[in-house]
Amino acid sequence: MTSLPEDALEYHRSGRPGKIEVNATKAFITQRDLSLAYTPGVAEPCRQIYQDPERAYDYTIKGNLVAVATNGTAVLGLGNIGPLAGKPVMEGKAVLFKRFADIDVFDLEINATDPDQFIATIKSLEPTFGGINLEDIKAPDSFYIEETLKKKMKIPVFHDDQHGTAIITGAALLNALKVAEKPIETVKIVYCGAGAAAIACAKLHVRLGINPKNLIMCDRKGVIYEGRKEDMNPYKALFASQTEARTLEDALEGADVFIGLSVKGALSVSMLQSMAKNPIVFALANPDPEIEYNTAINARPDVILATGRSDYPNQVNNVLGFPFIFRGALDVRATDINEAMKIAAVNALVKLSQEEIPHTVLRAYGLETISFGRHYLIPKPFDHRVLFWVAPAVAQAAIETGVAKKMINLNTYQESLEQRMGMSREIIRHSIQKAKINPKRIVFPEGDHPKILSACQILIEEGIAHPILIGSQTKIQQTIAELGLNLPDILIIDPATSPNLEAYTQELFKLRQRKGITLNQAKQSILNHNIFSLLMVHLGDADGFVAGVSQAYPDTIRSALQIIGTKPDVTHASGVYLMLFKHHVYFFADTTVNIEPSAEILADIAIESATLAKRLDIIPRIAMLSFANFGSVKHPLCDRVREAVKLVKTRQPDLIIDGEMQADTAVNPILVKEHYPFSEIKGNANILIFPDLQSGNIAYKLLHELGGAEALGPILMGMRKSVHILQRGCQINTIVNMAAIAVLDAQELNTY
């Protein structure tokens, strides 16, 4: 989490303000498109829906559209700040819905503190949405609003602050009890907090098996006991206990479980020490838990602890629930999210937690191994498997309890979810997580550039890399202060005052003395920040090099080739762009270096692209592109591509590669099946090797500008050490992503 509020503000205001936008899903180019999308063609689906309202799910977005609705009366830890100030949170929730479950969202910030007015507004919008996610509404209004809307509406209504928290804590509780070897029917459980989340948790936990007689709930006034009059409401009264305990401290004496949904510091060390053996503590106040993690572990080494924080084990995070619960509910057109569906979600999370964890998840979190136990009670928030476990379980429960209006084939449902989500959105995140396993020293010659410094703040905070800045100590520190950054320990090296200046000069002279450079020229050249930085990498004083945000690409790569050079088995360096689409990732090469590559160079490019793909956990399928298909045209340009294919197969026969082929043949499986069934590439290529720089550069820029692809790169391949050159003027997030790629390279190239 960033420590700089300005970073958060810049994140939200940069480019197009906010975090979401609306995009068309159908072609809208020709006059015919216009006539189909609007008048007169639009009249036909209107008639169909008028005759049968269920057809709205076939002809409109309704079946994949959720409202995230609030009146802003209880926004995060900020309280009653109103609907407009709560809008960034609702947009954030929309991003999570889309990111984790491909659900579209309209955020609704409703200026209505009166619960009945709020209810009337939401009810009137029922034709628009397939589901309603209530958010950040104060208790007890939230209970009344949800209960009333569930009765009045025929689409799912779900208050995530209540039920999302209850579902995730329910799964964690069942697994914690298994680890502690405590039967759920007999444990004594104490809730600290009596708001919407705590009451929903208690209700669901009772349904999971907690004995109400063993349950005590506390609020800021103390224990909620039978006969208490002060600060009560009907929802608290449901959990009024027959007990002599009046304080949280009294209640926790001998307790097995503490569920904290309150405030920082509510649980003291003495309270924790008074609990039973193997106490289960869920300290879920955010951002600071009821008891600090290390304090709790030191006080009670036998504690089984969960928090709401990502920097400790067992993060209880609602993102494990709501996207996937709504996904399952929407896909069967459920009229409700009922108790059976919630319990199905709990059980799915419980079972998934006890499954063997795949390497992809371990790598995503920088872990070598982890298994079910006191430090792993629930899946990690970014575990991609959660969708495929929770959504089908919820859908099945909806069908079995009769609230589903659409039947689906549950045996093929998971496959449809995989196709819906695709993998392109994961590649950058996986790269960053793999970099964090073993961060490397990355030198930035443009050390005083504001974008570089802002990127370094992120690299340090996220643990991606150890940045080294080259430049004037005074100027860099001044820029850091002007930007309001916090980089007190970052390494800054000024070449002019470096103790390594003479050694680097001699090394440069040694490398280039037979290439026309004199010793005096070497002394002058060494003060060039790029050259100094590259020598750091060459001599092992840094692991990787990233530059180019304010420099011309040819100038930077020229120095890199002169000082670092290519790997022993590679004749020429090359450049690749990762083109990220919603459901696909393509590698485009060479797009930046070799103007008219020979067959040998094309083979190098193909093999290096395959190596990069494997490093990113992608199985390479290489198409060598041309203007002809498999000998259909006799021309030296086609012969060169065909020869490159032969060279690759000779050097690495295990690679899937074919060509020469046209671009549509590379990516259109129907075309290949009909005309070229013999091809090793079945229209499923993910690496496209262009026959020359001109075609590759044009293709990636057109797709980036007109085709909606996100372009990550250029990634420099074939170098002896980790060297990457940015596009001039690139954004901060691009610098961060390229630095992560540089770290991955450095992890692999440390033997050269």
Side-chain angles (χ1 to χ4, degrees), residues 117-163:
Q117 184 183 354
F118 186 91
I119 289 167
T121 302
I122 295 296
K123 177 65 179 73
S124 69
L125 294 170
E126 183 169 358
T128 302
F129 297 101
I132 306 293
N133 182 100
L134 300 174
E135 195 77 17
D136 291 351
I137 302 170
K138 70 177 182 178
D141 291 355
S142 57
F143 299 118
Y144 171 66
I145 288 170
E146 186 192 40
E147 290 169 1
T148 306
L149 286 174
K150 285 173 75 72
K151 292 175 184 176
K152 290 177 174 286
M153 302 182 79
K154 296 180 180 179
I155 58 175
V157 178
F158 185 84
H159 185 206
D160 185 48
D161 297 331
Q162 292 184 56
H163 309 300

Side-chain angles (χ1 to χ4, degrees), residues 467-490:
I468 302 171
L469 302 175
I470 304 301
S472 163
Q473 181 95 18
T474 301
K475 186 174 181 181
I476 291 174
Q477 291 291 5
Q478 181 181 345
T479 307
I480 289 172
E482 290 171 354
L483 295 172
L485 301 174
N486 181 28
L487 297 168
D489 300 320
I490 196 165

Side-chain angles (χ1 to χ4, degrees), residues 86-198:
K87 186 173 177 64
V89 180
M90 304 310 117
E91 288 188 0
K93 199 68 176 284
V95 171
L96 296 179
F97 266 109
K98 191 65 177 178
R99 161 64 179 77
F100 287 103
D102 193 30
I103 293 173
D104 297 304
V105 165
F106 289 161
D107 59 299
L108 302 179
E109 294 76 33
I110 299 170
N111 191 17
T113 55
D114 175 69
D116 290 314
Q117 184 183 354
F118 186 91
I119 289 167
T121 302
I122 295 296
K123 177 65 179 73
S124 69
L125 294 170
E126 183 169 358
T128 302
F129 297 101
I132 306 293
N133 182 100
L134 300 174
E135 195 77 17
D136 291 351
I137 302 170
K138 70 177 182 178
D141 291 355
S142 57
F143 299 118
Y144 171 66
I145 288 170
E146 186 192 40
E147 290 169 1
T148 306
L149 286 174
K150 285 173 75 72
K151 292 175 184 176
K152 290 177 174 286
M153 302 182 79
K154 296 180 180 179
I155 58 175
V157 178
F158 185 84
H159 185 206
D160 185 48
D161 297 331
Q162 292 184 56
H163 309 300
T165 306
I167 287 164
I168 312 309
T169 60
L173 177 61
L174 292 179
N175 278 338
L177 291 170
K178 181 180 178 71
V179 171
E181 298 181 344
K182 295 184 177 186
I184 193 170
E185 301 84 3
T186 62
V187 293
K188 178 182 177 183
I189 186 168
V190 177
Y191 294 83
C192 180

Side-chain angles (χ1 to χ4, degrees), residues 186-466:
T186 62
V187 293
K188 178 182 177 183
I189 186 168
V190 177
Y191 294 83
C192 180
I199 289 173
C201 284
K203 285 182 177 180
L204 184 62
H205 298 169
V206 167
R207 292 189 186 94
L208 293 173
I210 291 290
N211 186 338
K213 295 180 180 179
N214 298 331
L215 185 158
I216 296 178
M217 183 174 288
C218 302
D219 62 10
R220 69 188 65 188
K221 301 292 185 181
V223 171
I224 298 171
Y225 57 89
E226 287 190 355
R228 195 182 100 169
K229 303 298 184 183
E230 185 181 9
D231 194 19
M232 289 292 287
N233 61 52
Y235 304 100
K236 289 183 183 181
L238 293 172
F239 295 99
S241 304
Q242 290 184 346
T243 178
E244 297 299 318
R246 291 296 180 265
T247 67
L248 177 61
E249 186 174 10
D250 296 339
L252 282 171
E253 183 74 33
D256 297 287
V257 182
F258 170 89
I259 306 289
L261 293 152
S262 54
V263 295
K264 174 185 177 181
L267 179 64
S268 68
V269 168
S270 61
M271 293 180 194
L272 175 59
Q273 289 174 334
S274 74
M275 294 179 68
K277 181 182 178 182
N278 285 324
I280 297 167
V281 172
F282 291 178
L284 306 181
N286 249 329
D288 300 305
E290 283 80 359
I291 187 169
E292 202 275 329
Y293 183 87
N294 292 324
T295 300
I297 295 295
N298 291 332
R300 286 293 299 263
D302 63 336
V303 69
I304 300 170
L305 185 59
T307 71
R309 294 179 61 113
S310 61
D311 48 352
Y312 299 126
N314 299 324
Q315 183 190 13
V316 174
N317 191 322
N318 282 20
V319 80
L320 284 169
F322 67 84
F324 318 114
I325 293 165
F326 269 98
R327 180 75 275 155
L330 292 173
D331 289 340
V332 296
R333 298 182 189 172
T335 58
D336 186 21
I337 295 176
N338 58 29
E339 297 307 311
M341 296 161 72
K342 296 173 193 173
I343 291 173
V346 170
N347 291 331
L349 290 170
V350 167
K351 293 175 184 176
L352 177 57
S353 306
Q354 298 175 30
E355 290 287 307
E356 183 178 354
I357 303 172
H359 291 297
T360 52
V361 175
L362 293 175
R363 284 196 296 267
Y365 283 90
L367 300 170
E368 292 186 6
T369 182
I370 192 172
S371 59
F372 176 71
R374 64 177 60 237
H375 299 302
Y376 179 71
L377 299 173
I378 46 176
K380 298 286 189 180
F382 280 102
D383 188 335
H384 65 278
R385 300 173 300 164
V386 177
L387 171 65
F388 309 127
W389 282 69
V390 174
V394 170
Q396 183 173 359
I399 292 170
E400 291 174 352
T401 55
V403 298
K405 293 190 293 183
K406 177 183 177 182
M407 299 298 107
I408 61 173
N409 185 337
L410 292 169
N411 294 325
T412 60
Y413 182 44
Q414 179 172 329
E415 181 179 347
S416 71
L417 290 173
E418 291 175 349
Q419 293 173 349
R420 171 186 284 275
M421 295 308 297
M423 65 154 295
S424 63
R425 65 188 69 193
E426 302 295 325
I427 191 167
I428 295 175
R429 182 176 61 81
H430 278 307
S431 299
I432 289 174
Q433 294 296 341
K434 287 178 71 175
K436 291 165 71 171
I437 296 173
N438 183 17
K440 298 293 184 180
R441 301 165 299 170
I442 305 300
V443 61
F444 294 90
E446 300 156 294
D448 58 2
H449 196 285
K451 288 183 179 179
I452 294 293
L453 292 170
S454 297
C456 287
Q457 178 87 53
I458 298 170
L459 293 172
I460 291 172
E461 288 181 349
E462 297 292 328
I464 299 168
H466 304 301

